[in-house]
Amino acid sequence: MLLILLSAFVDYSSGLLIHYGKRKLGLYLSIIFNVGILLYFKYANFISGNLIDALEVLNMNSENALKFSNIALPLGISFYTFQTMSYTIDVYRGHVKASKNFIDFATYVTLFPQLIAGPIVRYAVIEKELKNRQVTTSLFYEGVERFIIGLSKKMIIANNCALLADGVFNLPPTESSAVIAWLGIIAYSFQIYFDFSGYSDMAIGLGKMFGFNFPENFNYPYIAKSIREFWRRWHITLSTWFRDYLYISLGGNRKSVCRTYINLILVFLITGLWHGASWTFVFWGLFHGLFLIIERALETNNRKLPSAFSHIYVIFVLIISWVFFRSDTMADAFNYIASMFNFSLSTNWAFLNFYLTKEVIFVLIAAVFLSTPIYKKIVSYFQLNKSSSLNFNIFSSLKLVGLFMLLIICFTYIATDSYNPFIYFRF
């Protein structure tokens, strides 16, 4: 709490410094402070661990490096540092006026619905709502609906996908097979999407209940036909943050082709590190950056892949990249990928019978369906068809009641089966 309040005070003061003419001082104070606390709290362990390994290889004393190897990570630091930096940069660029009310600004920084899991909300988005919110019955209803849908994504889909994914990733490479490995990473691909988008839905829903309209954060990323399009649909507030405040600041694509590629690599290197302090996240970010460069090079040469093949290519690249995102070490990731393409190992059917339950199969099918806009199109059809508006309202109400009851069942089984680490819940 002290750290987040200190961060709010520093960036509030930085905004005022910029407003009263000390433009560069205010900007540099904000960036140095936020990047500094992020480096210390989030990356000190990672840096010290690698430094210790290097010193041991060189037979040098690593005692001083050990002092930075056990630092606790404050909750939400990746999100609120980026939010407050976006504020000071926007004030510096003249996109928003500096806030002169510390309570308003501290409210923006500490908004609990999106504080620890996003979306990353810019000050300009909710500046007016901080001073003049409108809490209405219809907006509150929208918020309740969105929150229940988000919680359902997390509890019903993500948690059951995690049951299968965790079981597969915990298997030794010799006990896995191509079938098991592919099922595991597909389950994890759905788990991470419905986890992230579920949290965003819950935050957006809570915001609406209190009169705030947070930006959308996901737009069916798995229907993308290029990695560039994927990043326009995945964690939108983060990708636009890197685009507006880092990529463009580095020069974007306004300079030479080589410089554009360097900028992309730097952006995705930092994107990987932002997600976690590990070499697997670094590789994950660079992996995405590499394919963005390849796609840009193909576009420059007026070469495009067929539409159907483009989608298959994107899904394949994403699945391989999620292996690195999920694995603890680079060795684990490469061993897992080797299992995906090792067709000589026999499938452990006893393992699949235990983990691939009817609940998990149902959830995987639902995940495929709900990761596309088919359901959204069905809802839009009923909304546009005035003659069916009554039926649609009844359908919406029954949907919410059904999801709510299903969640109650989920929580009940979590409470009763908490002694068994393999059971998330049963329908």
Side-chain angles (χ1 to χ4, degrees), residues 169-186:
F169 272 87
N170 289 331
L171 271 178
T174 54
E175 296 181 21
S176 185
S177 68
V179 172
I180 291 175
W182 277 97
L183 278 173
I185 194 56
I186 289 170

Side-chain angles (χ1 to χ4, degrees), residues 86-87 90 95-96 108 121-129:
S86 72
Y87 162 76
D90 281 347
H95 296 166
V96 296
Y108 157 69
V121 179
R122 302 188 192 187
Y123 183 75
V125 173
I126 61 169
E127 180 181 11
K128 294 179 181 178
E129 292 171 347

Side-chain angles (χ1 to χ4, degrees), residues 9 56-57 95-96 132 163 174 255 313-314 364 395 398:
F9 178 76
E56 288 178 351
V57 170
H95 296 166
V96 296
N132 186 26
L163 175 65
T174 54
K255 299 184 179 181
Y313 138 76
V314 170
L364 288 173
F395 166 74
L398 290 174

Side-chain angles (χ1 to χ4, degrees), residues 43 146 239 255 333:
Y43 302 105
R146 192 66 178 271
S239 59
K255 299 184 179 181

